[in-house]
Amino acid sequence: MKATTYAAALATVGLLALSACLHDSGDGASERPMTGETDAATATLNDARGTNADQIRDVTTQAALSQPQFGSVFQSAAVDLASASGVSAASDGTDLTITVSRDDGSALTLNSGSDPSDASGTSDSPIAGHSAQAWIVLNIDTEGISVARATVTANDSDAADYLAVGYWMHIAGDLTEFSFTGAEIGAFADGPELSLESPASLPAQGTASYYGPALGAYAVLHGADGEGPPGSMESGEFNSSVELTADFAANTIEGCVGCRDGVAVFGTLHDPDTGEATDVFFEDSGYRLHLDSANLAANGTFLGQQMRLEHSEYSFTSIGGAWGGQLSNIADSAGDPRLVAGTFGTEATSAGGSEGAFLGSFIGTKE
């Protein structure tokens, strides 16, 4: 579970660099500079991740193994907090609001209009007639610290026609003393064309290929075969792409994250012995996340019971995971769903004792 390490402060830069990677149009679209408020919140988040590294890895692993749920599509887990019962992402063309409802009636809300946030300039969307914008939203209050990273693609002439994919993380506790009481993490995909009230209409025959961005969070405990010292913890974000093939005659879908473009990681390595934090970057980490065949339901949803994590330098002794998603209720000119969106998670243990987990979301448009 290797990465190249740098002493420079890349974690904050990595948050923005990742968020700008969605199909950059190359026409000069640029990132909005981070405000001092957002910069300070991000630094606090990195400290919180380091102080709470074991719990972050545990909850990421649990989320990677959990089955996606529907309404919107979301895949999540919580440690010492109530589980998520639903996730919604609302966009009005100006701001993004992400709401995580929990089983105990509580809720986490992140809003780009009121919380510290940053957005890249608009860029090409994988959906024709749409523009894409990447968001980072952070919040620090008396209950803890929260972050969401999301990409929103919206119709240029109708803000109500949008799709948001991303992930959120919440660390509960007293930040003044870095005393934490719980954590949750989840990935989501939400938008009107994923509504089960008007589900997708699937063709009876043929196949369709889909391709687009994938993003999320990862966490690693380094063993004897890791680049970090044995026992060190690494956590951060990854950016990649997904490719999927739907076979409508067989009612199946399968694919891969990273097989076409690699998986980039940005994170922080925490050494428990020295207390030192080192920032981590790898343009292509070498990981490939295979989405094994899942059955398509009549309403366009699907659940995959297995993912396979591969890396040329590691021998994995155990691998697990789950993935799922939904096909769009909007058809293209050929009568096929114009896109697919969903979530995925995988965890693995290597022969040298390294343990890693990835959790993310994706959107793929028909090629």
Side-chain angles (χ1 to χ4, degrees):
M1 312 237 168
K2 298 181 179 178
T4 300
T5 58
Y6 295 90
L10 288 175
T12 298
V13 175
L15 284 166
L16 282 178
L18 282 174
S19 67
C21 285
L22 175 72
H23 291 261
D24 189 351
S25 62
D27 59 359
S30 61
E31 301 154 13
R32 190 171 68 193
M34 295 190 82
T35 65
E37 186 180 22
T38 310
D39 195 22
T42 304
T44 303
L45 171 65
N46 290 336
D47 289 341
R49 276 175 161 163
T51 306
N52 205 36
D54 285 330
Q55 198 171 46
I56 294 299
R57 184 181 65 84
D58 287 346
V59 74
T60 304
T61 299
Q62 290 181 33
L65 295 172
S66 67
Q67 285 195 353
Q69 300 182 56
F70 297 97
S72 59
V73 184
F74 72 97
Q75 184 171 349
S76 66
V79 174
D80 297 326
L81 289 172
S83 298
S85 58
V87 181
S88 66
S91 175
D92 61 5
T94 301
D95 287 306
L96 171 68
T97 301
I98 297 167
T99 303
V100 180
S101 302
R102 303 191 183 106
D103 288 339
D104 63 358
S106 65
L108 168 68
T109 300
L110 288 162
N111 178 269
S112 64
S114 57
D115 294 323
S117 62
D118 282 281
S120 67
T122 57
S123 58
D124 286 348
S125 167
I127 305 174
H130 283 219
S131 295
Q133 190 162 40
W135 285 100
I136 302 165
V137 188
L138 299 121
N139 178 267
I140 300 175
D141 58 24
T142 57
E143 297 182 354
I145 185 167
S146 308
V147 61
R149 184 164 74 86
T151 291
V152 179
T153 176
N155 192 312
D156 294 332
S157 59
D158 180 7
D161 177 14
Y162 68 90
L163 180 65
V165 296
Y167 87 93
W168 84 91
M169 180 173 64
H170 175 68
I171 303 174
D174 184 353
L175 288 178
T176 62
E177 298 181 0
F178 282 96
S179 174
F180 300 105
T181 58
E184 69 179 345
I185 191 169
F188 66 88
D190 190 27
E193 64 187 284
L194 301 183
S195 172
L196 291 178
E197 294 181 1
S198 55
S201 177
L202 303 185
Q205 301 292 327
T207 63
S209 296
Y210 298 87
Y211 170 78
L215 56 91
Y218 78 100
V220 172
L221 169 65
H222 288 285
D225 54 355
E227 185 170 279
S232 61
M233 302 291 300
E234 181 184 330
S235 62
E237 300 187 302
F238 68 89
N239 200 62
S240 188
S241 63
V242 68
E243 49 187 338
L244 296 159
T245 299
D247 185 329
F248 299 116
N251 289 320
T252 60
I253 187 169
E254 62 185 3
C256 181
V257 173
C259 287
R260 185 180 299 192
D261 302 313
V263 178
V265 298
F266 298 79
T268 304
L269 178 71
H270 300 273
D271 189 326
D273 295 327
T274 65
E276 180 181 358
T278 306
D279 294 306
V280 172
F281 163 73
F282 208 106
E283 187 174 359
D284 182 2
S285 61
Y287 293 105
R288 303 294 182 262
L289 290 70
H290 295 273
L291 311 171
D292 285 353
S293 182
N295 292 327
L296 286 172
N299 65 358
T301 62
F302 52 90
L303 282 172
Q305 302 299 316
Q306 183 62 45
M307 285 191 60
R308 291 177 294 112
L309 183 65
E310 290 187 348
H311 195 292
S312 60
E313 296 185 23
Y314 294 100
S315 174
F316 293 121
T317 57
S318 67
I319 304 172
W323 72 292
Q326 192 169 337
L327 287 157
S328 170
N329 59 19
I330 299 175
D332 67 4
S333 59
D336 299 326
R338 71 172 181 176
L339 62 82
V340 59
T343 64
F344 60 92
T346 185
E347 64 84 30
T349 300
S350 71
S354 293
E355 301 175 11
F358 289 81
L359 176 72
S361 57
F362 62 84
I363 173 176
T365 52
K366 190 179 168 188
E367 293 189 287

